[in-house]
Every structure is written in C-alpha cells, then in structure tokens.
Amino acid sequence: MATSNPPRPETVEEASPSLPLYAAGLLATICGLQCVNVTVEDSSLTVTTLLLTVIGYFFSYGCRWLRVAPMVIKVLGGALIAYFVYGAVTGVLDLDALSPSAGGQRDLRLATLLAWGLVLWSWMLISDVMLLFSGVISVAIVGLVSSTNSQSTEILVYFSLLIFAMLFLLIHQFYLQNRGLASAQESRRDPLRMIATQASLAAACVLVVFFLSSLFIVPVQMVTGNMSLASAIRGLASLNPGNPATPGSTINISDNGDLQIGMGTGWSASTEVVAHVVPSDRQPHYWRGRTYDTYDGRGWASSTQDQQFALNLASPSDQSQSERFIVPGARGEGEVDPEPRPRLVTLVSVQGVTQNLLAASEPVQIGARAGEIEELDSSPDRSITLGNRNYSHFRYAVASVLTPDPMEPHVQTALRRAENAPIPPAVRARYLTGLSNGLTMPEDVAYFQQLVDRIVADMPPVRRTRIDKALAIRNFIANRAVYSLSTPAIPQDSEHVRNFLDTNREGYCDMFASSMAVLCRVAGLPSRVATGFAPGEAKADGFDLRAMDKHAWVEVYFPKYGWLTFDPTVGTRTDGSVPSASGGAKPGLAGWFRSLLHVGPMVLLLGGAIASIIFYVLKIEWFDRIRGRRRSRPTASREERAQTEIGVAYQQASRAVARLGLPRDPGETPAEYADRARPFLQDTAHRLGLELSAETFDEITQRFILAKYARVVGEPIDAGEFLRAARRARWLSKFRFGRG
C-alpha cells in the first residue's frame, strides 16, 4: 500500500509569522528613525521614512503569511542593495540627496544613510532573526545621533522605548522558540513557569545593559564628575579655546553698567561661539555674569557694583603653576541649610571680550594658570569681575556650590517646610525696597498689586507659600506675553514693566525677567534680575555658549536655601523671530518625566503601542490558556493534539539530522530515512564524543509512523534532548572543520 510522506519541515523563513514580534520590530525601527528625524528636522524625510517603513513591515509580514518563496524577497532585496552600492560608487546615485538637512556633520549623515538602510531592511524581514537585527541597526543610529545631539530629551525617550522594544523582541522570540522545542508534557504545564523564565531573561538583559554602561559610560563621567579644582586647573591646557593663530571673538559679552530693558531688540542674534564650558556633571546650567537689584522704571542697576573688593589668593597646595582665588560668601544673607549640596567644577574657555567671569549658582573658588588673570574683584552678590580691563581668549576654572532647582517637586516640598524661616534684614533692605521712583508711580505699584492679588486669589489657601507664589507668578508671566526678538521699543516716558504686562505683552527675556522680579517684590518675595548665558548648545565635551544664548532670568531668595533660579521665558509662546529656545531647565528624574508631555504625541503613541503588545501577549499566552483550560472544551480531541505534537517533534528531529549533513531524499519513507540515519548518527556521536542517540531518532520515527498512519497515540514524546545534542554536534562539526 502506498504511503504518503510527511510534509517537508518548514524553514525558519516559512514558519508562521508572529504578529507581536513584527509589531515590536516596527516600534524599534520607528524609534531609530525618529532619533534621526528630531535631529535633522526635515518634515519630508520624516514622512517618507516612516511611511515606507510601515508599508515595508506590512509587506514582509504579508509575504510570510502568504508563504511567498523567501528566495524571491532575497533576490529583489539583493538587487536593490546592489543598485545603491553601484550608484554610490559610480556617482549615478546622489547620496547627499538622501540626507539634505544633515549638512557637513559626518555622524549625522551616516545616521541618515543608516535610516534609509533601515527602511530598505523593513521590506526584507523574512525571519525572526532579521527582525532582531533591525533593532541592532536602530541602536547604531541612536549612537551616531547622540554624538551630535547628546542632550536631547526626545532622543533619550526614544532610546528608552527602543530598549523596551528590543527586550520584548528577545524575550518573546526566546519564548516562541522554546515553546516549539518543548515536549508535549512541558507544554501542558502552568504557563507561569514560562513567564518566570521570560522575567529572568529580562532581568539578565537589564543587568547586561547596566554592566556595559558601567564599563563605558560611567568611567567617562567619572573623569569629570569627581573633578577637583586642582585637576581642573591642570586640565586647562586641554581645553580648545579656538584657533590660536586667529584672534578671539570681538563680541563683547560683559554685563557692565546698568541694564536697559524694553529697547526693542535683544542682545546679539549671532551664532558665533563666545565661550565654551565643560561642567563636571555634564549637565546644562545657567551661567551668571551679574545681578541687578535696583529698578528705576526703565531698567535695572546694581547697588553692589561700588562695593567691590579684591579677591585673596589661596595658599598653593601643589607644585602646579596655578593661582586660586577664594570667593567669600554673600554678606548678611543668613545661614544656609546644613544639608550638603552638590559641588560643580567648570572649565571655561572664553573667546569673546568680557570683564565678567561666568559661573553657575554660587562660585566659591576661581582657578587659573599663573599670569593668565592679573586681578579679580568680587561684589557682595558674588559677581566676579576682571578689574578694569577687558579680557579675551583666556581660560579659567571655577568651583561652585549648586543651589536646588525650584522646579523639582522634592525641592518645593522642602521650601514649603521652611516657610516660616525669617528673611534676613540685609536681604529685606536690599531686595524688598519700595518700587516708587521717578517713573514708577503709586498707581503703577497699585496695578502690580492688583495683578498679584489676582494671582494669589486663584491659588488654594493651603498653597500660598513663598515657593507657590513664585511659581504662580512665573507661570502668569509666561502665559500673559509672547516671547519676541522684534518687538517695538517701549516709550522711554512710560513705566516699562506695566507697559509690557498691560499694553504691549510681547518682548525679549529682559522684559519677562523684569516683570517677574517686580511682581515677586510686590508679593513680598526678595528678587533680583540676573544676566549671563542660557545653558548653550550641547557638544560632545561640554556646551558652546553663542552670542544668541545671552539671557536674563530671575533669582528669588528663600531663607536657608539662598538664591534660586526661575526662568519665566521657559514654556512661553514665541513668534517667528525666535529661532530656538533661549533657556533650558536642568534635567532630573522628575523633570525628565515632565518633559515627556512636551516631546510630542509620537512618544506617547509608541509607549502605548509597546504596552499594548505586552498585554496582548499576556492575554493570548496566559489568560486565554488558563480560561480556556478551565471553562472551554477543546475543539480538538486528545488524539488529534497528540498527533500534531508528535508530527512537530518528528519534523524538528529530521530537520536536525539534515543540518548535520544527511538530508532526506524526496522519495524516501520515514522508516527508510531512519535506517539510513542510524549509522550516520552513531558515527557522528563517536567522532565528536557526544551522546547523540540514534535510538531516540528511531523511537521518534516509529511514534510518528504509528500516529500518522495507524492513529495509535501513546504517552507524550520528548524530543528536546535529541535536538539539543544535534545542535551541539552541528556547532562542534563546524568548529573542527574550521580548525582543520
């Protein structure tokens, strides 16, 4: 009687595709593409790459679902890749047209080309391994993009989502593979065991990520994270101040004299770099040059400027050719909370012309190479000046004590606890003086008081503390006016802050800062205007401070905590005259989560998609199985299920033997194939010294023949040990052949 041969074992490409795997691969790919898109900022590139990628994934999934011959996809993909290579070598294909907005940045151009390669790759995903490799390409793209845009919150978020998607790809692919290799008896066990295995694999992946981070990332941060002032001075020579053969920038960045506001134009809009800073924590900070405490209706003056004193040189503690200047604490500002505060050491390279030194928060020491700086003076507000001469193209190091960030929730909680701490008399006398002057009339002060009363009235009674008032005033200013670099000048005979808040309602950062400082004083909060530079443009080794980063913000005094920074321009509306944000908030865990709301809907959609995939897999692999086991009758009989399991075991076993070098002939029956495989397996086991049981393959074959043709089903069969031994034999054969 003629017997029909069992179906040919499916290859990896022919196996049924897993929808969750393809969905996770698509999310990982989109994360990599979005890292390029948010950096290049080319809308046409964004739409084209995302659309082609989504279509490519649907095409690849459909091809596997319809059992399209994998060789067809390989040939088409290979031809397309060959065309790109040929066009790039011969110049027929203009690769620059694929990355028009990358400019001359090599890493960004390479990342853009990799993004296009990832798009092409999405059309050739004929196996699960290729899906995993798409995540590897995305990780490479993130690495290239982060070298040019390392401080972008969006890139950090997309990278985090990419890691989650990659972990899911690895875990679920591992699960699917082991489910196929598991015996029938193992497949009936409680799926909690498989979930525990996946959780263990996830924990191992996380540990690997942290281990690699400790090897490569943490040591790099430690080079500057634990930097002392002495090591910073010794490292001044490593700073790149520009081309020594050319003079420094001619732009004057000093904050000398009074601060005139509402002049109709801001500071220079030039992108020329006037300074480069390397903070030890590699985080963005506001770089203060001077503060102003006296308001006259059209600008600010510093009452401490005529109280400057020379800084003393510290005794040298090493043999380096350096000088250190000690900056005394502010006088009469009360005791600071005894809780230790972070210390920051910054290397500064100045190319512009200045009489002021830039420093973050509260400077305590200044270091420079001997002869670099002749004289340093300080004011009671800790502003540092270079005597009476202008300096350019010089370098120095500054050690600062960082003040808390009032935008952090835990800092706000601590400030509320210190609500009843008294304001020192010296601070009250200097920073809470009456606003009436030759231009600010009593009716103007009454208008300011009316605004403050309205702001406070909208606050809950239990949240009318100093910090809550300061935050409410900051938000009020940010929402009331438009940030603009091309606003008309305010008439000199009008009260500038009132004109800005009541009539004009648009202006530069000086008007935002002045308005918040005035309203804070009316609310009983000591405040002053600070000028200097916003955090600047992130670079691989620090931040470039450009002329356009010149900025003004507000500092509000809190007992026991000192002067804290508030920037009312952050989050405000802008007009077309503003090329980019002037300021930036310091990152932190809470600030990072808050920034998720501002990085666009794509991040939220991707995060929701990843969560949906995970819940989908839990549902179909766990909940449905348990519920079906308890409440539903199986659609197939026990014999039918056992036949299917034995058939799968035989296909896997015969495929393993074929990979060892003995494929089954087209007209060969299972019994004939087992007879031919018996001596082959015995010889392979003897040659490699493995327990590769030919009897096990005979048993699997006999069970398959009985189940398929005689419909005799016995106990569940376990092919796992044979498959693992065959896999080891295959690798040992390759290794020995390679060595031979």
Side-chain angles (χ1 to χ4, degrees):
M1 185 178 72
T3 60
S4 60
N5 294 327
R8 181 177 57 88
E10 290 182 332
T11 64
V12 176
E13 293 84 357
E14 294 171 334
S16 297
S18 169
L19 181 61
L21 278 184
Y22 271 83
L26 175 60
L27 293 177
T29 302
I30 290 177
C31 288
L33 295 178
Q34 280 297 103
C35 287
V36 175
N37 293 333
V38 299
T39 304
V40 174
E41 295 183 351
D42 188 335
S43 58
S44 61
L45 177 68
T46 301
V47 173
T48 304
T49 54
L50 292 181
L51 182 61
L52 290 177
T53 299
V54 173
I55 297 176
Y57 266 83
F58 275 101
F59 173 79
S60 298
Y61 183 83
C63 287
R64 287 189 66 182
W65 182 263
L66 297 174
R67 306 300 177 97
V68 176
M71 185 57 64
V72 176
I73 309 299
K74 293 178 180 179
V75 171
L76 293 177
L80 193 56
I81 293 175
Y83 168 74
F84 273 97
V85 173
Y86 172 79
V89 173
T90 60
V92 175
L93 182 63
D94 185 11
L95 295 182
D96 291 336
L98 299 178
S99 55
S101 302
Q105 303 182 58
R106 182 187 60 183
D107 291 345
L108 190 54
R109 290 189 62 209
L110 182 57
T112 307
L113 293 178
L114 271 180
W116 282 106
L118 194 56
V119 172
L120 178 61
W121 188 259
S122 66
W123 289 75
M124 300 185 296
L125 301 175
I126 57 177
S127 68
D128 295 344
V129 175
M130 298 183 74
L131 275 172
L132 295 175
F133 191 73
S134 64
V136 175
I137 300 176
S138 296
V139 172
I141 291 175
V142 173
L144 290 170
V145 170
S146 61
S147 66
T148 61
N149 196 8
S150 59
Q151 298 298 321
S152 173
T153 304
E154 290 181 270
I155 292 178
L156 176 61
V157 173
Y158 284 124
F159 177 69
S160 302
L161 294 176
L162 172 60
I163 293 300
F164 278 110
M166 286 288 294
L167 287 175
F168 176 83
L169 280 170
L170 291 171
I171 294 169
H172 195 56
Q173 200 273 342
F174 170 82
Y175 164 72
L176 294 176
Q177 180 181 7
N178 280 270
R179 186 178 67 177
L181 296 178
S183 66
Q185 183 176 1
E186 289 176 336
S187 66
R188 293 193 181 96
R189 293 178 182 175
D190 194 337
L192 286 175
R193 178 180 177 183
M194 186 60 73
I195 293 177
T197 303
Q198 296 184 62
S200 302
L201 181 61
C205 292
V206 171
L207 290 177
V208 169
V209 171
F210 277 104
F211 175 72
L212 294 177
S213 299
S214 65
L215 287 180
F216 300 104
I217 300 175
V218 175
V220 173
Q221 293 179 343
M222 289 176 61
V223 171
T224 55
N226 297 324
M227 186 188 299
S228 64
L229 188 65
S231 62
I233 296 174
R234 289 192 294 270
L236 285 174
S238 65
L239 282 178
N240 181 18
N243 186 356
T246 61
S249 171
T250 59
I251 297 178
N252 193 316
I253 61 174
S254 295
D255 293 312
N256 298 326
D258 297 341
L259 174 64
Q260 299 298 319
I261 62 176
M263 303 299 293
T265 57
W267 287 295
S268 173
S270 170
T271 59
E272 183 176 355
V273 176
V274 295
H276 182 76
V277 294
V278 185
S280 58
D281 62 357
R282 286 297 197 271
Q283 300 299 315
H285 299 275
Y286 286 86
W287 307 101
R288 185 177 61 205
R290 177 166 291 281
T291 66
Y292 300 88
D293 57 79
T294 304
Y295 177 64
D296 63 4
R298 61 170 64 94
W300 293 82
S302 175
S303 63
T304 64
Q305 197 164 8
D306 57 354
Q307 302 176 23
Q308 292 184 341
F309 51 89
L311 293 181
N312 297 322
L313 277 171
S315 301
S317 57
D318 53 29
Q319 302 301 319
S320 62
Q321 299 297 316
S322 63
E323 297 175 336
R324 301 186 197 179
F325 299 86
I326 305 298
V327 183
R331 303 171 185 174
E333 293 191 356
E335 297 183 357
V336 177
D337 189 79
E339 182 181 353
R341 296 182 179 177
R343 183 183 177 93
L344 178 75
V345 176
T346 307
L347 306 178
V348 185
S349 173
V350 179
Q351 286 90 52
V353 179
T354 184
Q355 288 186 1
N356 305 112
L357 294 189
L358 300 173
S361 295
E362 304 295 342
V364 293
Q365 286 192 57
I366 307 293
R369 293 181 299 182
E372 185 92 17
I373 298 175
E374 297 179 0
E375 178 185 1
L376 282 182
D377 297 329
S378 180
S379 303
D381 62 351
R382 290 190 176 182
S383 297
I384 314 297
T385 60
L386 294 155
N388 295 320
R389 56 166 291 191
N390 289 326
Y391 280 73
S392 178
H393 213 68
F394 69 100
R395 295 165 289 189
Y396 65 93
V398 54
S400 304
V401 175
L402 294 180
T403 55
D405 185 354
M407 306 308 293
E408 298 289 348
H410 71 278
V411 175
Q412 297 172 11
T413 301
L415 292 173
R416 292 186 185 105
R417 288 198 297 262
E419 173 65 18
N420 296 325
I423 299 175
V427 175
R428 184 179 295 275
R430 186 184 300 274
Y431 300 101
L432 278 179
T433 54
L435 291 174
S436 296
N437 50 61
L439 196 59
T440 305
M441 297 290 107
E443 54 269 24
D444 297 321
V445 178
Y447 171 77
F448 299 146
Q449 185 66 60
Q450 180 183 5
L451 292 180
V452 171
D453 293 343
R454 186 194 310 170
I455 296 171
V456 175
D458 292 336
M459 300 169 59
V462 296
R463 285 295 178 90
R464 294 181 179 178
T465 61
R466 293 171 182 145
I467 178 60
D468 293 303
K469 290 179 181 179
L471 292 172
I473 292 173
R474 191 201 78 87
N475 295 335
F476 174 81
I477 301 296
N479 294 325
R480 190 174 181 84
V482 175
Y483 189 93
S484 174
L485 303 181
S486 59
T487 182
I490 297 177
Q492 289 297 300
D493 58 349
S494 66
E495 216 289 336
H496 282 35
V497 169
R498 180 170 183 178
N499 182 284
F500 173 73
L501 293 176
D502 190 30
T503 305
N504 200 15
R505 295 197 182 186
E506 65 176 11
Y508 193 55
C509 59
D510 57 348
M511 292 308 308
F512 281 84
S514 299
S515 300
M516 180 176 175
V518 168
L519 294 188
C520 281
R521 291 191 177 187
V522 172
L525 305 176
S527 58
R528 64 191 185 189
V529 173
T531 58
F533 283 85
E537 183 181 21
K539 295 297 182 181
D541 63 337
F543 298 85
D544 277 345
L545 304 185
R546 302 158 298 181
M548 62 180 295
D549 294 321
K550 188 75 173 171
H551 197 46
W553 59 92
V554 179
E555 294 181 347
V556 180
Y557 180 84
F558 291 87
K560 295 186 178 181
Y561 289 88
W563 294 96
L564 306 187
T565 298
F566 292 82
D567 190 348
T569 66
V570 174
T572 190
R573 295 169 295 161
T574 62
D575 64 5
S577 66
V578 184
S580 61
S582 305
K586 297 177 185 178
L589 185 59
W592 185 80
F593 281 110
R594 285 197 306 270
S595 64
L596 289 180
L597 301 177
H598 303 285
V599 295
M602 179 63 76
V603 170
L604 300 180
L605 290 175
L606 292 178
I610 291 177
S612 301
I613 294 173
I614 294 175
F615 282 119
Y616 171 77
V617 171
L618 289 177
K619 179 181 183 300
I620 64 174
E621 300 296 350
W622 181 30
F623 180 74
D624 285 355
R625 285 191 177 189
I626 293 178
R627 186 178 63 175
R629 184 183 307 163
R630 293 177 179 176
R631 301 182 180 179
S632 303
R633 293 187 59 185
T635 57
S637 65
R638 176 179 178 273
E639 290 76 10
E640 290 174 339
R641 294 198 307 272
Q643 287 176 350
T644 301
E645 293 168 356
I646 293 174
V648 171
Y650 176 74
Q651 289 181 11
Q652 293 173 342
S654 59
R655 184 192 311 167
V657 175
R659 288 177 175 175
L660 287 175
L662 187 69
R664 179 181 168 186
D665 294 335
E668 199 170 24
T669 66
E672 292 171 347
Y673 184 48
D675 292 339
R676 192 161 59 92
R678 189 178 302 111
F680 172 78
L681 293 175
Q682 292 173 347
D683 178 70
T684 302
H686 177 73
R687 177 166 48 88
L688 299 178
L690 293 175
E691 294 183 2
L692 187 60
S693 175
E695 291 76 13
T696 302
F697 185 69
D698 285 342
E699 180 184 359
I700 295 173
T701 303
Q702 292 301 321
R703 292 290 303 278
F704 171 72
I705 294 174
L706 290 174
K708 183 173 181 63
Y709 303 111
R711 304 216 175 255
V712 176
V713 178
E715 293 298 321
I717 188 171
D718 183 6
E721 185 62 34
F722 177 79
L723 296 176
R724 286 188 287 270
R727 192 181 303 116
R728 288 193 296 269
R730 180 186 177 194
W731 283 107
L732 282 175
S733 298
K734 289 185 176 182
F735 178 73
R736 293 192 175 186
F737 178 79
R739 294 186 60 180

